[in-house]
Amino acid sequence: MDYKYIEQLLERYWNCETSLEEEQILRSFFRQKEIPAHLLRYKQLFAYQEAEKEIGLGEDFDARILAQVEKPVVKAKRLTMRARFMPLFKSAAAIAVLFVMGTVVQRSLESSDSGVVFVHDEYRNTTTDPQVAYEPVLPIDTVAKMAADEATAGTKN
């Protein structure tokens, strides 16, 4: 028998150029009992394709798939009163922290009773003459006396 045609079909099969009819010819050829030795290595490929066609899903296929798909039963988690009120406790603590911080900031801004008088609070521009700025408000001897009093008070401490 001339096997040139089968070899050509195999070459076209590997290049993906065969039609369905030509592939069927190859399958029927490799189903034979007598195949030349140089083509025996391809017999398992075509025999495998025929054997796989006959294998079905089986009777228990649906049951196996449904067993994998079904969701397990989830038990309800028991919540304690503490677990239920925990978000409420957290928000109450956050509000308390904000309230305390606001109170501290407000007290620090209001406490101007420290005895310090800032010049900008007491200053009033009552004159338009620039020469008045050079004149001392207190007599010079009074300023010197105040400086001496501060110096003696600093040495006593």
Side-chain angles (χ1 to χ4, degrees):
M1 181 175 207
D2 186 23
Y3 298 111
K4 291 281 185 191
Y5 179 65
I6 297 298
E7 290 172 359
Q8 289 174 356
L9 281 181
L10 277 173
E11 187 65 33
R12 290 182 59 211
Y13 181 79
W14 298 127
N15 292 330
C16 301
E17 297 172 351
T18 56
S19 65
L20 293 176
E21 292 82 19
E22 291 170 336
E23 289 178 15
Q24 186 60 36
I25 292 170
L26 284 172
R27 284 190 201 98
S28 63
F29 172 77
F30 284 104
R31 264 190 255 133
Q32 298 174 1
K33 290 186 179 184
E34 294 183 22
I35 298 174
H38 70 283
L39 296 177
L40 275 176
R41 60 183 171 181
Y42 303 119
K43 182 175 182 172
Q44 292 179 355
L45 172 69
F46 291 101
Y48 174 77
Q49 290 176 350
E50 288 297 320
E52 287 298 313
K53 279 185 181 179
E54 296 171 3
I55 297 176
L57 295 177
E59 297 296 325
D60 64 336
F61 176 75
D62 290 336
R64 286 186 291 145
I65 295 297
L66 288 176
Q68 292 177 358
V69 172
E70 287 181 1
K71 295 181 180 177
V73 176
V74 178
K75 293 182 180 179
K77 184 178 177 182
R78 192 167 179 91
L79 291 175
T80 61
M81 288 299 272
R82 180 179 175 174
R84 287 183 185 181
F85 288 119
M86 189 55 71
L88 181 64
F89 294 150
K90 289 179 181 180
S91 61
I95 290 172
V97 166
L98 289 175
F99 179 73
V100 168
M101 288 177 60
T103 304
V104 168
V105 169
Q106 183 180 9
R107 295 284 175 137
S108 67
L109 293 177
E110 286 180 0
S111 65
S112 63
D113 300 335
S114 63
V116 177
V117 177
F118 294 102
V119 175
H120 61 81
D121 291 340
E122 297 289 323
Y123 176 74
R124 289 191 184 87
N125 190 7
T126 58
T127 181
T128 58
D129 186 17
Q131 188 61 32
V132 174
Y134 292 112
E135 294 176 4
V137 176
L138 296 175
I140 292 178
D141 60 338
T142 308
V143 172
K145 186 177 180 184
M146 287 175 54
D149 288 344
E150 286 181 12
T152 58
T155 57
K156 289 181 182 178
N157 290 334

